[in-house]
Amino acid sequence: WFVVSYSAPAALTFTASGQTSLAELADQLRDDQVQYAIVRLSTPTATTKVRDILLLWFGPNVKLMEKTK
């Protein structure tokens, strides 16, 4: 997984990455930011399927106008 955040009104920057639990990912999400994360999941079967999932995070303390970016 990896997380990106806004560093300026229209500029995304890399924030964090990891290969362990989703709890570690949740620790990177900030209450006052709009952030995006990509999580890669794979199935442990003979025909391994890989899925990338986009997560959009709007922290509970983000102002309404920032949520419309």
Side-chain angles (χ1 to χ4, degrees):
W1 56 264
F2 71 90
V3 178
V4 293
S5 305
Y6 284 100
S7 60
L12 289 172
T13 57
F14 174 80
T15 303
S17 68
Q19 296 181 1
T20 57
S21 71
L22 293 179
E24 185 181 350
L25 167 63
D27 289 341
Q28 300 299 320
L29 301 175
R30 303 291 171 236
D31 287 345
D32 61 343
Q33 292 185 6
V34 175
Q35 295 175 291
Y36 305 97
I38 298 286
V39 176
R40 178 164 283 180
L41 298 176
S42 60
T43 58
T45 62
T47 58
T48 301
K49 294 182 180 180
V50 176
R51 300 285 187 250
D52 291 331
I53 299 169
L54 172 64
L55 301 174
L56 290 84
W57 171 257
F58 298 94
N61 298 332
V62 174
K63 295 178 182 172
L64 181 62
M65 292 305 291
E66 289 183 44
K67 290 181 181 182
T68 62
K69 288 183 184 180

